[in-house]
Amino acid sequence: MPGDALSQDPAELRRRIDTTKAHPARVYDVFLGGKDNYPVDRAAAAAALAANPRGYLDVRHNRDFLRRAVGTLAREDGIRQFLDIGTGLPTAENVHQIAQRIIPDSRVVYVDNDPVVLAHARALLTSGPEGRTDYIDADFKNPAHILEQAAKTLDFDQPVALCLVAILHFVEDEEAYPIVRELVDSLPAGSRLVLSHLTEDLNPENIRAVQRTYTERGFTFVLRSRAEVERFFAESALELAEPGVVPAHHWRADNAAPVPEQPEASYLAALDDIEKVRYADINDVTDADINVYAGVGNKA
């Protein structure tokens, strides 16, 4: 059921879109093979890929972690409410599609503050007949507003899975930790925190090169250690689910990452490197490819 944000005037939305500066959601969309991005976003993605030619595996395995985490929480724990902040652009297997396939009456609220995401948000609202989805046009740095709006769709007397997937490395410490605490404190017992985060622990040379390409474009880009990622869970008194905070491809790996349909070889050969990413099979991942930690915590 669409929120008020979707009633915004299309002309006003267009005025809000800055096509001169790359945006994290749109750069992420490039790596996922999406079309809802601009030349400046593709340039940022290409620069990151040049710095780390297998860096697309971070993005794709981060997304695959979300698939596995949401599926696990719905199937094994019966979680039927999800608050996904930093949603990004609609893509294959959004949270509501994963959750409602398992629990048809699942409710999902998506949150982002990029007008391009808002412009395409109706694709996130194609809920099954028994479930419900909504979209909030809001900034992560205003958690009180997010919670107030989310309560129109979610029942905060029942467990909620808070998804903070690949968003916190765009937020400095002095804001990131208090905001996560505020969000988790609002959730009832039995809720979950689904979190992923870039790190320099695993393959520092590669990810530092990528970090430079983003910071040169004006992004906040904070790489955190395993201990610093675990701190998000510890400060909210969350119990980490097995296997704890681990490289994303090791979190309950099921070897089921989808393989994109392959085009003709001649067509593939004519594409540039960033365009080829959408057709890459990510199941050949190694530990030397990944710079993302992932974990799920349980609120007792």
Side-chain angles (χ1 to χ4, degrees), residues 82-94:
F82 296 82
L83 177 58
D84 182 8
I85 302 178
T87 298
L89 285 148
T91 186
E93 291 293 275
N94 296 296

Side-chain angles (χ1 to χ4, degrees), residues 168-179:
L168 292 168
H169 43 253
F170 297 116
V171 187
E172 298 285 1
D173 283 358
E174 61 269 20
E175 293 181 300
Y177 289 103
I179 290 171

Side-chain angles (χ1 to χ4, degrees), residues 238-260:
L238 298 172
E239 179 184 357
L240 275 165
E242 290 295 332
V245 171
V246 296
H249 63 307
H250 287 310
W251 196 91
R252 304 197 184 183
D254 60 9
N255 301 312
V259 179

Side-chain angles (χ1 to χ4, degrees), residues 31 44-58 198-215 221 223 285-292:
F31 280 112
L49 193 67
N52 180 15
R54 284 173 67 81
Y56 64 89
L57 290 165
D58 278 332
L198 283 169
T199 182
E200 61 182 350
D201 284 0
L202 305 173
N203 300 289
E205 185 175 344
N206 286 347
I207 195 61
R208 285 173 188 157
V210 173
Q211 182 185 40
R212 285 193 295 273
T213 71
Y214 281 93
T215 55
F221 204 85
L223 301 172
V285 64
T286 71
D287 289 352
D289 295 319
I290 296 298
N291 301 281
V292 180

Side-chain angles (χ1 to χ4, degrees), residues 28-182:
Y28 195 77
D29 181 64
V30 174
F31 280 112
L32 291 174
K35 300 286 190 180
D36 301 314
N37 49 70
Y38 294 92
V40 67
D41 306 304
R42 293 188 285 275
L49 193 67
N52 180 15
R54 284 173 67 81
Y56 64 89
L57 290 165
D58 278 332
V59 177
R60 297 270 298 279
H61 274 281
N62 175 75
R63 189 74 190 184
D64 203 57
F65 157 69
L66 179 65
R67 173 186 65 83
R68 298 193 307 277
V70 171
T72 296
L73 294 183
R75 184 171 46 252
E76 298 181 10
D77 300 341
I79 301 294
R80 60 185 63 231
Q81 298 192 111
F82 296 82
L83 177 58
D84 182 8
I85 302 178
T87 298
L89 285 148
T91 186
E93 291 293 275
N94 296 296
V95 170
H96 72 278
Q97 294 165 315
I98 301 165
Q100 290 178 0
R101 186 163 54 241
I102 299 165
I103 302 178
D105 65 352
S106 296
R107 295 186 171 202
V108 178
V109 171
Y110 295 105
V111 183
D112 211 299
N113 71 334
D114 179 15
V116 173
V117 179
L118 174 57
H120 294 273
R122 284 184 175 81
L124 294 169
L125 301 174
T126 54
S127 175
E130 298 173 56
R132 186 174 173 187
T133 61
D134 203 352
Y135 178 89
I136 301 170
D137 179 29
D139 193 323
F140 172 74
K141 296 179 181 180
N142 190 351
H145 176 65
I146 291 172
L147 293 166
E148 177 187 5
Q149 295 301 308
K152 297 177 181 179
T153 301
L154 305 179
D155 177 0
F156 280 88
D157 290 328
Q158 299 297 322
V160 175
L162 170 65
C163 301
L164 301 177
V165 174
I167 182 175
L168 292 168
H169 43 253
F170 297 116
V171 187
E172 298 285 1
D173 283 358
E174 61 269 20
E175 293 181 300
Y177 289 103
I179 290 171
V180 172
R181 284 198 305 272
E182 182 174 346

